[in-house]
Amino acid sequence: MNKEEILAKSRQENKNRDIAEIDRARSASRFAMLFSLCFIVIYTMLSLFATSRVNYGMIATEFCMIFAMNLHKAIKSRTSADIAVAALNGLAFAMFAFMAVCELFGLKP
């Protein structure tokens, strides 16, 4: 295999994206998740102080994003660790979504 064949194969595997570009996208998504988790924590604490209630809908939305990212990773890699992480995040999302629906309709679980 010569240099051009190796480069062509690498471009095909990475969908014509540069490794640095892929790394920047990963870093940006990690930063966005961390930033949004910090926002949820701060908002939840303020909500508890102001109203003595938690907005489960916002927390469910956050876990939905995290679950979707981990589910995609689990589908692509098919490793047991990624599948377990996706399953746990899916469980957390389902729990908070259930609580949000109960809160929305005034039901007591």
Side-chain angles (χ1 to χ4, degrees):
M1 213 180 236
N2 66 19
K3 180 181 174 183
E4 293 303 318
E5 290 173 344
I6 293 170
L7 286 173
K9 186 174 181 178
S10 175
R11 284 188 200 103
Q12 183 182 14
E13 288 174 357
N14 295 320
K15 297 178 180 136
N16 287 329
R17 293 190 306 169
D18 189 332
I19 297 295
E21 180 183 340
I22 293 169
D23 207 27
R24 278 192 302 271
R26 282 189 183 142
S27 294
S29 66
R30 284 188 191 117
F31 177 78
M33 278 291 123
L34 183 62
F35 187 82
S36 61
L37 279 171
C38 289
F39 173 77
I40 291 293
V41 167
I42 292 168
Y43 182 84
T44 300
M45 297 304 288
L46 289 173
S47 177
L48 278 171
F49 290 135
T51 64
S52 298
R53 294 178 52 207
V54 174
N55 186 340
Y56 291 106
M58 285 191 66
I59 298 171
T61 302
E62 180 69 27
F63 274 97
C64 179
M65 291 185 291
I66 294 170
F67 170 61
M69 287 177 57
N70 285 311
L71 181 63
H72 180 266
K73 186 177 179 182
I75 290 170
K76 291 291 185 183
S77 70
R78 295 191 174 137
T79 63
S80 59
D82 288 337
I83 293 169
V85 169
L88 288 174
N89 281 314
L91 182 64
F93 165 62
M95 179 185 68
F96 285 117
F98 174 76
M99 293 299 295
V101 170
C102 288
E103 181 183 59
L104 184 65
F105 291 107
L107 304 172
K108 299 288 181 194

XYZ file of all heavy atoms in Angstrom:
852
model
N 0.840 -1.168 0.000
C 0.000 0.000 0.000
C 0.894 1.242 0.000
O 1.744 1.391 0.870
C -0.864 -0.016 1.263
C -2.222 0.572 1.085
S -3.139 0.505 2.636
C -4.554 -0.387 2.083
N 0.674 2.130 -0.952
C 1.494 3.328 -0.982
C 0.824 4.462 -0.200
O -0.272 4.315 0.337
C 1.800 3.750 -2.429
C 0.554 4.184 -3.174
O -0.460 4.505 -2.566
N 0.630 4.207 -4.487
N 1.521 5.575 -0.138
C 1.077 6.710 0.674
C -0.293 7.227 0.224
O -1.150 7.525 1.058
C 2.134 7.813 0.582
C 1.804 9.045 1.364
C 2.894 10.090 1.182
C 2.519 11.383 1.837
N 3.516 12.414 1.624
N -0.514 7.323 -1.071
C -1.783 7.843 -1.597
C -2.961 6.923 -1.258
O -4.047 7.389 -0.941
C -1.685 8.057 -3.113
C -0.737 9.157 -3.523
C -1.099 10.501 -2.896
O -2.298 10.839 -2.842
O -0.172 11.200 -2.455
N -2.742 5.610 -1.308
C -3.802 4.663 -0.952
C -4.151 4.771 0.531
O -5.330 4.713 0.903
C -3.369 3.235 -1.288
C -3.296 2.941 -2.766
C -2.697 1.562 -3.043
O -2.083 0.978 -2.127
O -2.849 1.088 -4.179
N -3.147 4.931 1.363
C -3.376 5.080 2.798
C -4.155 6.357 3.085
O -5.116 6.366 3.859
C -2.035 5.061 3.569
C -1.397 3.679 3.464
C -2.252 5.445 5.026
C 0.020 3.617 3.988
N -3.763 7.451 2.441
C -4.480 8.716 2.627
C -5.920 8.625 2.131
O -6.839 9.143 2.770
C -3.742 9.850 1.914
C -2.457 10.331 2.585
C -1.740 11.326 1.681
C -2.759 10.948 3.927
N -6.124 7.978 0.994
C -7.482 7.822 0.458
C -8.351 6.994 1.411
O -9.514 7.329 1.651
C -7.429 7.178 -0.922
N -7.778 5.928 1.946
C -8.528 5.093 2.887
C -8.854 5.874 4.162
O -9.964 5.774 4.687
C -7.729 3.835 3.222
C -8.494 2.860 4.071
C -7.726 1.576 4.264
C -8.553 0.619 5.105
N -7.901 -0.651 5.295
N -7.911 6.655 4.652
C -8.141 7.463 5.849
C -9.234 8.497 5.608
O -10.098 8.701 6.459
C -6.850 8.160 6.253
O -7.069 9.028 7.335
N -9.207 9.141 4.438
C -10.252 10.117 4.114
C -11.617 9.452 4.037
O -12.609 10.014 4.475
C -9.933 10.805 2.785
C -8.864 11.841 2.885
C -8.727 12.629 1.583
N -7.441 13.268 1.530
C -6.410 12.857 0.819
N -6.507 11.797 0.048
N -5.272 13.502 0.851
N -11.658 8.262 3.482
C -12.924 7.539 3.362
C -13.460 7.169 4.749
O -14.645 7.333 5.020
C -12.746 6.282 2.521
C -14.031 5.521 2.299
C -13.797 4.258 1.489
O -12.663 3.822 1.319
N -14.861 3.670 1.007
N -12.600 6.689 5.637
C -13.018 6.309 6.982
C -13.479 7.515 7.790
O -14.402 7.429 8.582
C -11.873 5.610 7.725
C -11.584 4.223 7.228
C -10.354 3.620 7.885
O -9.688 4.306 8.693
O -10.052 2.456 7.576
N -12.846 8.647 7.588
C -13.170 9.855 8.349
C -14.117 10.786 7.604
O -14.303 11.931 8.013
C -11.887 10.606 8.720
C -11.028 9.811 9.657
O -11.530 9.168 10.568
N -9.731 9.821 9.424
N -14.697 10.310 6.513
C -15.669 11.074 5.721
C -15.106 12.423 5.292
O -15.729 13.460 5.447
C -16.962 11.227 6.495
C -17.620 9.908 6.779
C -18.870 10.073 7.580
C -19.459 8.700 7.806
N -19.920 8.449 9.117
N -13.890 12.399 4.773
C -13.186 13.581 4.256
C -12.978 14.665 5.315
O -12.842 15.834 4.991
C -13.914 14.171 3.040
C -13.734 13.303 1.820
O -12.710 12.647 1.663
N -14.742 13.280 0.965
N -12.971 14.283 6.590
C -12.701 15.258 7.648
C -11.296 15.026 8.184
O -10.818 13.907 8.269
C -13.715 15.128 8.787
C -15.114 15.509 8.365
C -16.047 15.604 9.519
N -16.044 14.366 10.305
C -16.608 14.248 11.491
N -17.213 15.267 12.033
N -16.567 13.107 12.130
N -10.678 16.094 8.535
C -9.347 16.081 9.107
C -9.423 15.569 10.551
O -10.411 15.790 11.246
C -8.816 17.515 9.078
C -7.353 17.616 9.445
O -6.872 16.762 10.190
O -6.708 18.564 8.982
N -8.391 14.889 11.022
C -8.347 14.394 12.396
C -8.474 15.554 13.383
O -9.161 15.451 14.398
C -7.049 13.592 12.655
C -6.988 12.350 11.768
C -6.903 13.223 14.109
C -8.045 11.326 12.034
N -7.826 16.673 13.097
C -7.925 17.839 13.978
C -9.364 18.351 14.037
O -9.849 18.753 15.096
C -6.988 18.941 13.498
N -10.055 18.329 12.911
C -11.449 18.769 12.869
C -12.333 17.845 13.706
O -13.211 18.303 14.448
C -11.939 18.787 11.417
C -13.369 19.214 11.242
C -13.812 19.132 9.787
O -12.966 19.122 8.893
O -15.045 19.046 9.581
N -12.098 16.548 13.616
C -12.857 15.574 14.408
C -12.598 15.802 15.894
O -13.521 15.790 16.712
C -12.479 14.136 13.993
C -12.957 13.861 12.571
C -13.067 13.112 14.952
C -12.413 12.571 11.977
N -11.340 16.055 16.246
C -10.975 16.299 17.639
C -11.627 17.578 18.156
O -12.106 17.617 19.292
C -9.455 16.381 17.755
C -8.960 15.986 19.115
O -9.642 15.189 19.790
O -7.885 16.474 19.502
N -11.667 18.632 17.350
C -12.324 19.881 17.757
C -13.805 19.662 17.990
O -14.373 20.196 18.939
C -12.113 20.963 16.695
C -10.792 21.679 16.789
C -10.761 22.919 15.924
N -11.015 22.649 14.511
C -10.082 22.355 13.613
N -8.816 22.299 13.980
N -10.396 22.127 12.361
N -14.451 18.881 17.126
C -15.885 18.609 17.291
C -16.154 17.837 18.585
O -17.117 18.122 19.297
C -16.417 17.830 16.089
N -15.293 16.877 18.889
C -15.445 16.123 20.145
C -15.261 17.034 21.346
O -16.013 16.960 22.318
C -14.444 14.979 20.194
C -14.842 13.807 19.378
C -13.925 12.629 19.630
N -14.295 11.526 18.764
C -13.444 10.714 18.197
N -12.153 10.850 18.417
N -13.863 9.740 17.426
N -14.254 17.874 21.295
C -14.006 18.793 22.408
C -15.171 19.760 22.584
O -15.579 20.057 23.708
C -12.721 19.578 22.175
O -11.616 18.721 22.211
N -15.705 20.242 21.485
C -16.830 21.169 21.550
C -18.064 20.495 22.148
O -18.772 21.091 22.970
C -17.153 21.710 20.155
N -18.323 19.251 21.773
C -19.495 18.563 22.315
C -19.315 18.270 23.800
O -20.267 18.381 24.575
C -19.798 17.289 21.535
O -18.767 16.339 21.692
N -18.099 17.912 24.214
C -17.843 17.693 25.647
C -18.033 18.987 26.437
O -18.623 18.997 27.510
C -16.431 17.161 25.861
C -16.296 15.715 25.505
C -14.926 15.174 25.908
N -14.728 13.864 25.329
C -13.798 13.550 24.459
N -12.936 14.466 24.079
N -13.698 12.343 23.973
N -17.521 20.100 25.906
C -17.675 21.380 26.574
C -19.147 21.765 26.670
O -19.607 22.232 27.717
C -16.894 22.476 25.832
C -17.067 23.837 26.434
C -16.374 24.184 27.578
C -17.930 24.755 25.860
C -16.534 25.442 28.146
C -18.101 26.001 26.417
C -17.408 26.355 27.563
N -19.893 21.552 25.596
C -21.321 21.885 25.599
C -22.076 21.060 26.634
O -22.935 21.580 27.354
C -21.912 21.658 24.206
N -21.766 19.776 26.736
C -22.424 18.930 27.731
C -22.078 19.376 29.147
O -22.947 19.467 30.009
C -22.022 17.466 27.545
C -22.784 16.748 26.488
S -24.486 16.510 26.987
C -25.300 17.296 25.640
N -20.814 19.657 29.387
C -20.397 20.103 30.717
C -21.046 21.436 31.075
O -21.540 21.618 32.190
C -18.870 20.220 30.777
C -18.287 20.619 32.125
C -18.617 19.578 33.180
C -16.789 20.788 32.007
N -21.067 22.353 30.137
C -21.678 23.664 30.365
C -23.168 23.523 30.654
O -23.684 24.140 31.586
C -21.449 24.565 29.139
C -21.891 25.975 29.341
C -21.066 26.875 29.993
C -23.127 26.401 28.881
C -21.466 28.186 30.186
C -23.540 27.700 29.076
C -22.715 28.601 29.732
N -23.865 22.698 29.878
C -25.301 22.539 30.099
C -25.590 21.813 31.418
O -26.564 22.123 32.095
C -25.963 21.825 28.921
O -25.429 20.534 28.756
N -24.733 20.867 31.809
C -24.914 20.215 33.109
C -24.729 21.219 34.247
O -25.502 21.205 35.219
C -23.929 19.056 33.268
C -24.313 17.757 32.589
C -23.148 16.775 32.634
C -25.534 17.142 33.228
N -23.748 22.088 34.126
C -23.551 23.125 35.147
C -24.759 24.060 35.208
O -25.209 24.433 36.301
C -22.278 23.925 34.865
S -20.771 22.988 35.157
N -25.292 24.421 34.065
C -26.478 25.276 34.035
C -27.655 24.589 34.713
O -28.379 25.223 35.494
C -26.842 25.651 32.594
C -28.148 26.396 32.514
C -28.209 27.735 32.864
C -29.303 25.755 32.112
C -29.407 28.418 32.809
C -30.505 26.431 32.049
C -30.557 27.778 32.398
N -27.850 23.301 34.436
C -28.959 22.564 35.053
C -28.806 22.528 36.566
O -29.775 22.710 37.308
C -29.048 21.131 34.482
C -29.498 21.164 33.032
C -29.966 20.246 35.296
C -30.903 21.637 32.808
N -27.596 22.293 37.048
C -27.363 22.247 38.497
C -27.672 23.611 39.126
O -28.382 23.689 40.143
C -25.918 21.805 38.809
C -25.567 22.045 40.268
C -25.728 20.349 38.449
N -27.170 24.675 38.533
C -27.410 26.020 39.074
C -28.893 26.355 39.016
O -29.474 26.842 39.998
C -26.569 27.073 38.314
C -25.086 26.863 38.625
C -26.997 28.489 38.666
C -24.155 27.645 37.730
N -29.549 26.081 37.892
C -30.975 26.376 37.753
C -31.799 25.567 38.753
O -32.740 26.087 39.360
C -31.441 26.093 36.324
C -32.900 26.423 36.135
C -33.292 27.729 35.855
C -33.883 25.442 36.255
C -34.630 28.041 35.702
C -35.216 25.756 36.103
C -35.589 27.054 35.826
O -36.899 27.362 35.677
N -31.443 24.304 38.958
C -32.180 23.467 39.898
C -32.027 23.989 41.318
O -33.003 24.032 42.082
C -31.711 21.999 39.796
O -31.952 21.542 38.455
C -32.451 21.113 40.763
N -30.826 24.392 41.686
C -30.617 24.943 43.025
C -31.411 26.238 43.210
O -32.052 26.429 44.246
C -29.127 25.194 43.272
C -28.282 23.939 43.257
S -28.822 22.685 44.414
C -28.332 23.426 45.945
N -31.392 27.118 42.226
C -32.175 28.352 42.309
C -33.662 28.049 42.389
O -34.404 28.694 43.139
C -31.873 29.256 41.113
C -30.503 29.915 41.091
C -30.285 30.647 39.777
C -30.354 30.852 42.278
N -34.114 27.077 41.616
C -35.516 26.680 41.634
C -35.920 26.143 43.009
O -36.997 26.442 43.510
C -35.775 25.628 40.558
O -37.105 25.189 40.595
N -35.043 25.351 43.605
C -35.323 24.827 44.948
C -35.412 25.960 45.978
O -36.299 25.942 46.838
C -34.245 23.830 45.365
C -34.405 22.417 44.853
C -33.160 21.595 45.166
C -35.627 21.764 45.467
N -34.509 26.915 45.906
C -34.542 28.028 46.847
C -35.758 28.922 46.631
O -36.375 29.381 47.587
C -33.264 28.867 46.752
C -32.051 28.174 47.287
C -30.864 28.206 46.571
C -32.069 27.493 48.495
C -29.725 27.578 47.057
C -30.937 26.859 48.993
C -29.764 26.897 48.267
N -36.116 29.177 45.375
C -37.195 30.111 45.075
C -38.582 29.497 45.236
O -39.494 30.153 45.750
C -37.034 30.646 43.652
N -38.755 28.250 44.808
C -40.103 27.666 44.794
C -40.233 26.378 45.601
O -41.324 25.839 45.707
C -40.543 27.350 43.351
O -39.680 26.342 42.812
C -40.517 28.584 42.476
N -39.127 25.867 46.103
C -39.092 24.573 46.818
C -39.539 23.414 45.925
O -40.055 22.411 46.407
C -39.964 24.622 48.076
O -39.493 25.588 48.964
N -39.376 23.575 44.618
C -39.723 22.529 43.658
C -38.599 22.367 42.643
O -37.827 23.294 42.407
C -41.015 22.876 42.910
C -42.221 22.889 43.812
C -43.493 23.264 43.108
N -43.702 22.453 41.931
C -44.393 22.855 40.878
N -44.924 24.060 40.854
N -44.557 22.076 39.847
N -38.543 21.212 42.040
C -37.549 20.929 41.010
C -38.268 20.837 39.669
O -39.325 20.225 39.564
C -36.810 19.600 41.306
C -35.882 19.227 40.168
C -36.043 19.701 42.606
N -37.680 21.433 38.642
C -38.235 21.344 37.301
C -37.660 20.095 36.632
O -36.558 20.115 36.082
C -37.894 22.602 36.505
C -38.556 22.634 35.150
O -38.976 21.610 34.622
N -38.644 23.817 34.587
N -38.403 19.003 36.684
C -37.924 17.742 36.143
C -37.852 17.747 34.614
O -37.096 16.989 34.027
C -38.806 16.585 36.623
C -38.666 16.310 38.094
C -39.659 16.670 38.985
C -37.521 15.708 38.596
C -39.534 16.428 40.340
C -37.378 15.465 39.952
C -38.391 15.826 40.815
O -38.247 15.590 42.150
N -38.623 18.604 33.981
C -38.594 18.684 32.522
C -37.241 19.115 31.992
O -36.741 18.563 31.007
N -36.622 20.079 32.650
C -35.291 20.533 32.215
C -34.247 19.443 32.430
O -33.379 19.234 31.579
C -34.880 21.801 32.972
C -35.605 23.034 32.493
S -34.900 24.538 33.141
C -33.303 24.547 32.379
N -34.347 18.756 33.553
C -33.388 17.686 33.827
C -33.585 16.545 32.831
O -32.615 15.972 32.328
C -33.521 17.200 35.281
C -33.210 18.350 36.248
C -32.592 16.020 35.542
C -33.516 18.046 37.693
N -34.844 16.238 32.504
C -35.119 15.190 31.517
C -34.560 15.559 30.151
O -34.006 14.705 29.446
C -36.624 14.941 31.423
N -34.655 16.825 29.788
C -34.110 17.286 28.513
C -32.597 17.092 28.466
O -32.047 16.620 27.466
C -34.460 18.767 28.280
O -35.877 18.909 28.319
C -33.926 19.260 26.957
N -31.924 17.432 29.549
C -30.466 17.261 29.615
C -30.093 15.786 29.476
O -29.205 15.423 28.714
C -29.926 17.823 30.930
C -28.455 17.683 31.091
C -27.673 18.572 30.143
O -28.189 19.618 29.729
O -26.537 18.205 29.827
N -30.777 14.921 30.222
C -30.463 13.498 30.143
C -30.845 12.906 28.788
O -30.238 11.936 28.346
C -31.112 12.722 31.287
C -30.276 12.716 32.528
C -30.511 13.624 33.542
C -29.224 11.824 32.662
C -29.726 13.636 34.670
C -28.427 11.835 33.792
C -28.680 12.743 34.803
N -31.832 13.505 28.126
C -32.178 13.052 26.775
C -31.006 13.299 25.825
O -30.660 12.432 25.023
C -33.420 13.779 26.282
S -33.927 13.314 24.626
N -30.375 14.464 25.933
C -29.218 14.763 25.076
C -28.051 13.828 25.384
O -27.415 13.303 24.474
C -28.794 16.221 25.255
C -29.780 17.216 24.702
S -29.197 18.913 24.780
C -29.208 19.224 26.534
N -27.791 13.614 26.665
C -26.687 12.741 27.055
C -26.965 11.311 26.603
O -26.083 10.626 26.084
C -26.460 12.811 28.581
C -25.979 14.208 28.975
C -25.454 11.750 29.028
C -25.956 14.444 30.462
N -28.212 10.861 26.782
C -28.599 9.511 26.359
C -28.432 9.348 24.850
O -27.898 8.328 24.385
C -30.037 9.222 26.776
C -30.606 7.971 26.187
C -30.028 6.734 26.444
C -31.719 8.012 25.374
C -30.548 5.574 25.908
C -32.250 6.864 24.834
C -31.664 5.646 25.099
N -28.850 10.351 24.090
C -28.744 10.261 22.630
C -27.283 10.158 22.186
O -26.945 9.353 21.305
C -29.415 11.466 21.983
N -26.418 10.942 22.813
C -24.995 10.883 22.451
C -24.397 9.520 22.794
O -23.671 8.924 21.996
C -24.213 11.982 23.179
C -24.463 13.365 22.628
S -23.624 14.676 23.530
C -21.926 14.170 23.419
N -24.723 9.011 23.986
C -24.174 7.717 24.393
C -24.789 6.562 23.620
O -24.113 5.561 23.362
C -24.349 7.514 25.899
C -23.380 8.349 26.690
O -22.197 8.365 26.418
N -23.885 9.062 27.671
N -26.049 6.685 23.245
C -26.681 5.643 22.435
C -26.016 5.561 21.067
O -25.723 4.467 20.565
C -28.176 5.910 22.295
C -28.968 4.885 21.494
C -28.905 3.520 22.180
C -30.404 5.337 21.338
N -25.744 6.715 20.471
C -25.062 6.734 19.177
C -23.683 6.080 19.286
O -23.295 5.269 18.448
C -24.931 8.173 18.688
C -24.244 8.291 17.375
N -22.890 8.512 17.267
C -24.715 8.200 16.105
C -22.561 8.558 16.002
N -23.644 8.378 15.271
N -22.963 6.425 20.352
C -21.638 5.839 20.564
C -21.734 4.328 20.767
O -20.913 3.567 20.237
C -20.975 6.497 21.773
C -19.556 6.068 22.010
C -18.946 6.829 23.180
C -17.533 6.382 23.437
N -16.943 7.064 24.594
N -22.736 3.872 21.514
C -22.908 2.437 21.765
C -23.257 1.689 20.489
O -22.770 0.576 20.261
C -23.992 2.215 22.817
N -24.075 2.296 19.645
C -24.447 1.652 18.381
C -23.231 1.537 17.477
O -23.029 0.511 16.818
C -25.596 2.431 17.696
C -26.888 2.239 18.490
C -25.781 1.979 16.248
C -28.014 3.151 18.050
N -22.407 2.589 17.450
C -21.223 2.573 16.590
C -20.147 1.617 17.093
O -19.555 0.879 16.320
C -20.633 3.991 16.469
C -21.492 4.934 15.691
C -21.520 4.575 14.251
C -22.296 5.600 13.464
N -22.413 5.249 12.075
N -19.877 1.623 18.408
C -18.763 0.825 18.926
C -19.173 -0.595 19.313
O -18.368 -1.512 19.247
C -18.145 1.517 20.135
O -19.030 1.457 21.237
N -20.408 -0.753 19.768
C -20.939 -2.055 20.206
C -20.106 -2.715 21.298
O -20.018 -3.935 21.381
C -21.099 -3.001 19.026
C -22.130 -2.519 18.050
C -22.480 -3.568 17.048
N -23.573 -3.083 16.238
C -23.656 -3.212 14.956
N -22.695 -3.839 14.292
N -24.676 -2.747 14.290
N -19.494 -1.891 22.154
C -18.771 -2.446 23.290
C -19.708 -2.500 24.493
O -20.638 -1.694 24.604
C -17.535 -1.589 23.651
O -17.973 -0.288 24.043
C -16.564 -1.485 22.487
N -19.463 -3.455 25.366
C -20.360 -3.632 26.505
C -20.345 -2.423 27.434
O -21.370 -2.065 28.018
C -20.014 -4.907 27.267
O -18.680 -4.858 27.724
N -19.203 -1.776 27.583
C -19.119 -0.594 28.445
C -19.976 0.548 27.889
O -20.720 1.194 28.651
C -17.676 -0.139 28.578
N -19.896 0.792 26.592
C -20.699 1.859 25.990
C -22.188 1.534 26.044
O -23.020 2.426 26.258
C -20.273 2.104 24.540
C -18.912 2.780 24.438
O -18.515 3.442 25.420
O -18.261 2.636 23.398
N -22.533 0.272 25.867
C -23.936 -0.140 25.949
C -24.455 0.048 27.369
O -25.578 0.528 27.579
C -24.103 -1.596 25.465
C -23.813 -1.672 23.962
C -25.495 -2.125 25.778
C -23.690 -3.079 23.427
N -23.641 -0.300 28.370
C -24.050 -0.130 29.767
C -24.246 1.338 30.116
O -25.225 1.708 30.774
C -23.016 -0.766 30.690
N -23.337 2.193 29.656
C -23.454 3.634 29.921
C -24.715 4.186 29.249
O -25.467 4.966 29.850
C -22.199 4.388 29.449
C -22.404 5.892 29.463
C -21.009 4.020 30.311
N -24.970 3.781 28.022
C -26.173 4.232 27.314
C -27.433 3.751 28.031
O -28.410 4.501 28.160
C -26.157 3.740 25.871
N -27.417 2.517 28.509
C -28.582 1.977 29.219
C -28.834 2.742 30.517
O -29.989 3.076 30.844
C -28.382 0.492 29.504
N -27.775 3.044 31.272
C -27.942 3.802 32.515
C -28.438 5.217 32.249
O -29.305 5.729 32.970
C -26.625 3.833 33.288
C -26.220 2.511 33.930
C -24.827 2.617 34.533
C -27.223 2.101 34.989
N -27.904 5.843 31.206
C -28.392 7.181 30.858
C -29.833 7.129 30.366
O -30.613 8.042 30.626
C -27.494 7.828 29.810
C -26.246 8.396 30.420
O -26.305 9.075 31.440
N -25.115 8.115 29.824
N -30.190 6.071 29.651
C -31.577 5.900 29.211
C -32.516 5.716 30.396
O -33.626 6.253 30.408
N -32.067 4.988 31.397
C -32.864 4.796 32.600
C -33.060 6.119 33.342
O -34.170 6.441 33.784
C -32.187 3.765 33.506
C -32.913 3.401 34.782
C -34.244 2.723 34.464
C -32.060 2.470 35.624
N -31.984 6.903 33.468
C -32.093 8.213 34.121
C -33.027 9.126 33.335
O -33.876 9.815 33.922
C -30.712 8.849 34.247
N -32.903 9.118 32.013
C -33.797 9.927 31.180
C -35.248 9.500 31.367
O -36.140 10.343 31.542
C -33.398 9.818 29.703
C -34.464 10.306 28.760
C -34.882 11.621 28.791
C -35.048 9.440 27.857
C -35.878 12.068 27.927
C -36.029 9.875 26.996
C -36.443 11.191 27.035
N -35.516 8.200 31.359
C -36.890 7.706 31.531
C -37.451 8.114 32.893
O -38.618 8.521 33.000
C -36.927 6.188 31.366
N -36.636 8.022 33.924
C -37.086 8.391 35.266
C -37.446 9.880 35.341
O -38.529 10.238 35.825
C -35.988 8.074 36.284
C -36.349 8.436 37.709
S -35.005 8.182 38.862
C -33.843 9.437 38.345
N -36.560 10.737 34.845
C -36.837 12.170 34.891
C -37.985 12.557 33.954
O -38.759 13.461 34.273
C -35.583 12.985 34.597
C -34.618 13.021 35.747
C -33.356 12.477 35.619
C -34.979 13.591 36.946
C -32.462 12.507 36.680
C -34.098 13.636 38.021
C -32.840 13.083 37.884
N -38.112 11.892 32.822
C -39.227 12.164 31.915
C -40.551 11.771 32.579
O -41.554 12.499 32.480
C -39.048 11.417 30.600
N -40.570 10.636 33.266
C -41.766 10.207 33.992
C -42.137 11.233 35.064
O -43.301 11.617 35.199
C -41.531 8.825 34.626
C -42.654 8.367 35.504
C -43.833 7.903 34.943
C -42.522 8.403 36.885
C -44.879 7.484 35.757
C -43.554 7.983 37.698
C -44.736 7.524 37.136
N -41.146 11.691 35.813
C -41.395 12.694 36.849
C -41.888 14.010 36.246
O -42.754 14.672 36.805
C -40.131 12.932 37.672
C -39.701 11.747 38.509
S -40.919 11.239 39.718
C -40.954 12.659 40.788
N -41.360 14.377 35.087
C -41.788 15.612 34.421
C -43.242 15.513 33.976
O -44.014 16.470 34.130
C -40.883 15.904 33.225
N -43.636 14.362 33.437
C -45.025 14.178 33.010
C -45.954 14.186 34.229
O -47.028 14.794 34.196
C -45.176 12.876 32.185
C -46.630 12.542 31.941
C -44.429 13.017 30.860
N -45.530 13.525 35.298
C -46.331 13.546 36.532
C -46.482 14.964 37.055
O -47.575 15.381 37.463
C -45.701 12.658 37.601
S -45.859 10.894 37.272
N -45.396 15.728 37.041
C -45.432 17.117 37.491
C -46.337 17.953 36.591
O -47.104 18.796 37.065
C -44.017 17.687 37.486
C -43.900 19.113 37.946
C -42.477 19.635 37.844
O -41.921 19.634 36.724
O -41.934 20.013 38.878
N -46.274 17.702 35.298
C -47.069 18.451 34.332
C -48.566 18.281 34.570
O -49.342 19.230 34.501
C -46.693 18.013 32.911
C -47.359 18.741 31.759
C -46.924 20.200 31.745
C -47.000 18.077 30.454
N -48.994 17.049 34.863
C -50.405 16.764 35.055
C -50.834 16.755 36.527
O -51.961 16.405 36.833
C -50.767 15.429 34.383
C -50.716 15.513 32.891
C -49.676 14.896 32.191
C -51.671 16.216 32.166
C -49.610 14.981 30.815
C -51.612 16.314 30.801
C -50.578 15.681 30.102
N -49.914 17.076 37.419
C -50.239 17.151 38.833
C -50.457 15.784 39.476
O -51.179 15.679 40.468
N -49.843 14.759 38.937
C -49.981 13.410 39.486
C -48.917 13.188 40.546
O -47.809 13.676 40.444
C -49.845 12.360 38.390
C -50.813 12.491 37.213
C -50.431 11.506 36.132
C -52.235 12.252 37.679
N -49.253 12.387 41.565
C -48.282 12.031 42.598
C -47.829 10.587 42.361
O -48.625 9.676 42.452
C -48.896 12.139 43.993
C -49.380 13.517 44.353
C -48.227 14.434 44.607
C -48.757 15.810 44.990
N -47.754 16.808 44.946
N -46.553 10.394 42.019
C -46.089 9.016 41.753
C -45.983 8.174 43.008
O -45.896 8.602 44.082
C -44.712 9.210 41.119
C -44.299 10.586 41.432
C -45.520 11.361 41.796
